[in-house]
Coordinates of all heavy atoms in Angstrom, one line a residue:
Chain A
V92 N -35.3 39.3 60.5 CA -34.7 40.5 61.2 C -34.1 40.0 62.5 O -33.0 40.5 62.8 CB -35.9 41.5 61.5 CG1 -35.3 42.6 62.4 CG2 -36.4 42.0 60.2
D146 N -14.4 27.0 38.2 CA -14.4 27.1 36.7 C -15.5 26.4 36.1 O -15.6 26.2 34.8 CB -13.0 26.6 36.2 CG -12.8 25.1 36.5 OD1 -13.7 24.5 37.0 OD2 -11.7 24.6 36.2
A220 N -31.0 18.6 36.6 CA -31.2 19.4 37.8 C -32.2 20.5 37.4 O -32.3 20.9 36.2 CB -29.9 20.0 38.3
V320 N -29.2 30.9 58.5 CA -30.2 29.9 58.7 C -29.4 28.5 58.8 O -29.7 27.7 59.7 CB -31.2 29.8 57.5 CG1 -32.0 28.6 57.6 CG2 -32.0 31.1 57.5
L328 N -24.4 34.2 44.2 CA -24.5 35.7 44.0 C -25.1 35.9 42.6 O -24.9 35.2 41.7 CB -23.0 36.3 44.0 CG -22.8 37.7 44.3 CD1 -23.1 38.1 45.8 CD2 -21.4 38.2 43.9
S416 N -39.5 32.2 23.3 CA -39.6 31.9 21.9 C -39.1 30.5 21.6 O -38.0 30.2 21.9 CB -38.8 33.0 21.1 OG -38.5 32.5 19.8
D474 N -19.4 22.1 15.1 CA -20.3 21.7 14.0 C -21.7 22.0 14.4 O -22.4 21.3 15.1 CB -20.1 20.1 13.9 CG -20.9 19.5 12.8 OD1 -21.2 20.3 11.8 OD2 -21.2 18.3 12.9

Side-chain angles (χ1 to χ4, degrees):
Chain A
V92 173
D146 62 6
V320 171
L328 200 72
S416 157
D474 179 27

